Amino acid sequence: MKGQGYENVATVLVDPDVLPDFELDLMSHDFRVWTVHTAPTFPDAPRLAFQLRRSLIEWSQGRWAVAADWIPVWITFGDSWLDGDEPIPWPAHAALWDKLAGYAEHVRYNLGLGGVPRLSVPRDDQ
């Protein structure tokens, strides 16, 4: 049996005023947006969200103070971006960073991906 594994995510603070439209826009480009406070793979996801937000705000040394009440999300890559177990291709990275740049006033993030336990999307074929 194959282990649960990890997947690459971009961690982003998102202005709650734009989150619904942001999520729909990214979904239309086959990116998945997971609000950290509801992530199914963590037993205390609300606490993790609080810690992530605080850590990012402190890291920014005040530059991201506007985001103190924003929602931490993880963005993953949908199936169209993936090639089996191969690393995520650079065009996928570029497409995500370009998409986030379009929301510059409403998001805060660092370039680069982290890893979290696999976030599974419910599928009808399972």
Side-chain angles (χ1 to χ4, degrees), residues 7 9 23 32-40 72-76 119-122:
E7 70 182 301
V9 298
E23 184 174 10
R32 298 180 180 137
V33 177
W34 303 85
T35 55
V36 174
H37 70 276
T38 64
V73 303
W74 285 317
I75 301 172
T76 62
L119 299 162
S120 60
V121 175

Side-chain angles (χ1 to χ4, degrees), residues 16-104:
D17 292 337
V18 302
L19 183 59
D21 292 334
F22 174 81
E23 184 174 10
L24 287 174
D25 185 16
L26 267 70
M27 285 172 54
S28 72
H29 292 87
D30 202 21
F31 296 109
R32 298 180 180 137
V33 177
W34 303 85
T35 55
V36 174
H37 70 276
T38 64
T41 54
F42 292 90
D44 194 355
R47 181 182 178 100
L48 177 60
F50 171 83
Q51 291 170 336
L52 275 174
R53 180 177 38 253
R54 188 172 98 190
S55 174
L56 289 168
I57 298 295
E58 287 177 1
W59 170 88
S60 76
Q61 298 179 339
R63 294 183 312 273
W64 295 357
V66 67
D69 295 325
W70 290 6
I71 299 171
V73 303
W74 285 317
I75 301 172
T76 62
F77 297 84
D79 293 338
S80 70
W81 295 111
L82 305 178
D83 183 15
D85 290 332
E86 294 297 314
I88 296 170
W90 288 115
H93 290 246
L96 176 58
W97 307 135
D98 288 347
K99 182 52 68 180
L100 291 176
Y103 286 90

